[in-house]
Amino acid sequence: SLLLAKVAKNINNDIFVLLGGPQTTAHQKRFQQGKLISKFVDAIIVHDGEVGLRQLIDARRNNTPFDNIPNLYYKQGDTFKASKSLDYVMPTSEYTTPDFSDFDVSDYNHILPIRTLRGCYYNKCTFCTYPVTGGPFALTSAKFVVDSMAELQAKHNISAFEFIGSSLPARFMRQIAEIIIERKMNVTWATRANIQKEFMQPNLVRLLKQSGLKGLFLGLENSNQRNMALMKKMQKGMDEVIGVISTLHSQ
């Protein structure tokens, strides 16, 4: 990203270059003091960026100050100054159904993503960066997720979805499945999840399957008991792992 920023500035120094994403969030102090990158980066957004990006575009258009834009570091001389609203957290209640009207949805292999949560409800795995980059855990509502599926299905004639999130809690997946079944929707969906003991309940797995669940990507990482303990994984051991996988496979 930094190389592309440098190339862009070499082509036209008036191009406004903004960095964002989990790496900028994790290393924001280093970037803030980065005199070298200030030569080809104009601003940095950390944490939630949707509101800040919109306000930054408006500020650029209207030539107004950047000092109140959420989660923004903006260039001042050869370093970056923090805005007065650096710890803004976007409420999940303000998440909206994504708009793909300007995209060729075939590029998505006819599977559309829907954001379902922020952060991770478990938040204990020692190797994970979500405690730093993901923000405080918060769910949307099951109704929002299913409403988004219905809206995108009607608009794009697509019935396959992937729920974007680090790990969906089993109880939240149950709520989504129940609404899909209640509405008699013809959809399929996939998502990510930890090895949760709830997946050893055949009734739950059958319910998820009935609602259209086709893919469940499980975070196992390691099968060694000692390593799982060192990583502080949710599963207590391989017996639980095998129980979850066996139940999912058999149903």
Side-chain angles (χ1 to χ4, degrees):
S1 297
L2 293 173
L3 177 60
L4 289 174
K6 186 175 182 180
V7 170
K9 285 293 190 181
N10 285 338
I11 294 172
N12 182 352
N13 194 54
D14 291 332
I15 293 174
F16 191 92
V17 176
L18 172 71
L19 293 184
Q23 296 303 325
T24 57
T25 298
H27 302 290
Q28 57 186 284
K29 294 303 180 184
R30 292 176 62 189
F31 281 127
Q32 183 187 11
Q33 300 166 2
K35 294 184 179 181
L36 179 62
I37 70 167
S38 66
K39 296 178 181 179
F40 43 89
V41 173
D42 298 291
I44 299 165
I45 280 188
V46 297
H47 302 299
D48 288 338
E50 293 88 344
V51 173
L53 178 59
R54 185 184 70 237
Q55 292 188 15
L56 178 62
I57 291 171
D58 289 340
R60 288 274 296 162
R61 285 174 174 166
N62 300 321
N63 196 29
T64 54
F66 294 169
D67 55 339
N68 286 311
I69 296 175
N71 296 334
L72 185 74
Y73 289 96
Y74 56 96
K75 187 162 67 176
Q76 193 168 74
D78 57 1
T79 58
F80 294 89
K81 182 178 179 179
S83 76
K84 297 175 183 177
S85 180
L86 197 61
D87 296 316
Y88 170 78
V89 176
M90 183 179 182
T92 54
S93 60
E94 294 182 10
Y95 287 5
T96 58
T97 300
D99 181 2
F100 297 98
S101 57
D102 290 328
F103 291 84
D104 182 353
V105 293
S106 64
D107 290 341
Y108 290 81
N109 294 321
H110 301 284
I111 301 174
L112 293 182
I114 297 174
R115 190 179 184 189
T116 53
L117 53 79
R118 179 184 58 244
C120 178
Y121 71 98
Y122 182 62
N123 231 16
K124 296 178 183 177
C125 298
T126 56
F127 59 84
C128 187
T129 61
Y130 263 92
V132 176
T133 63
F137 172 71
L139 284 169
T140 57
S141 69
K143 181 179 182 301
F144 163 78
V145 174
V146 181
D147 285 348
S148 294
M149 296 172 77
E151 181 178 334
L152 293 171
Q153 185 180 34
K155 185 180 293 186
H156 301 290
N157 194 30
I158 283 182
S159 300
F161 302 91
E162 180 177 356
F163 299 157
I164 304 301
S166 56
S167 175
L168 259 67
R171 59 178 175 80
F172 189 55
M173 295 171 63
R174 177 190 289 275
Q175 294 169 4
I176 292 171
E178 289 173 344
I179 298 175
I180 291 174
I181 293 170
E182 179 184 350
R183 296 187 185 181
K184 298 179 180 179
M185 296 173 63
N186 182 22
V187 294
T188 61
W189 55 285
T191 192
R192 302 168 180 83
N194 294 340
I195 305 284
Q196 301 170 51
K197 60 184 180 181
E198 289 86 349
F199 294 135
M200 287 191 283
Q201 302 171 9
N203 288 341
L204 171 61
V205 176
R206 285 195 291 268
L207 179 77
L208 297 176
K209 181 179 180 180
Q210 181 185 350
S211 72
L213 178 63
K214 294 294 185 181
L216 186 57
F217 305 101
L218 299 174
L220 173 58
E221 279 86 38
N222 201 287
S223 62
N224 179 276
Q225 180 67 53
R226 177 177 177 273
N227 289 343
M228 281 192 280
L230 288 172
M231 291 191 292
K232 297 184 180 180
K233 293 295 296 178
M234 176 181 287
Q235 63 267 15
K236 302 306 179 184
M238 280 306 295
D239 288 345
E240 191 168 303
V241 171
I242 292 171
V244 166
I245 294 175
S246 297
T247 306
L248 290 169
H249 181 68
S250 64
Q251 301 303 318

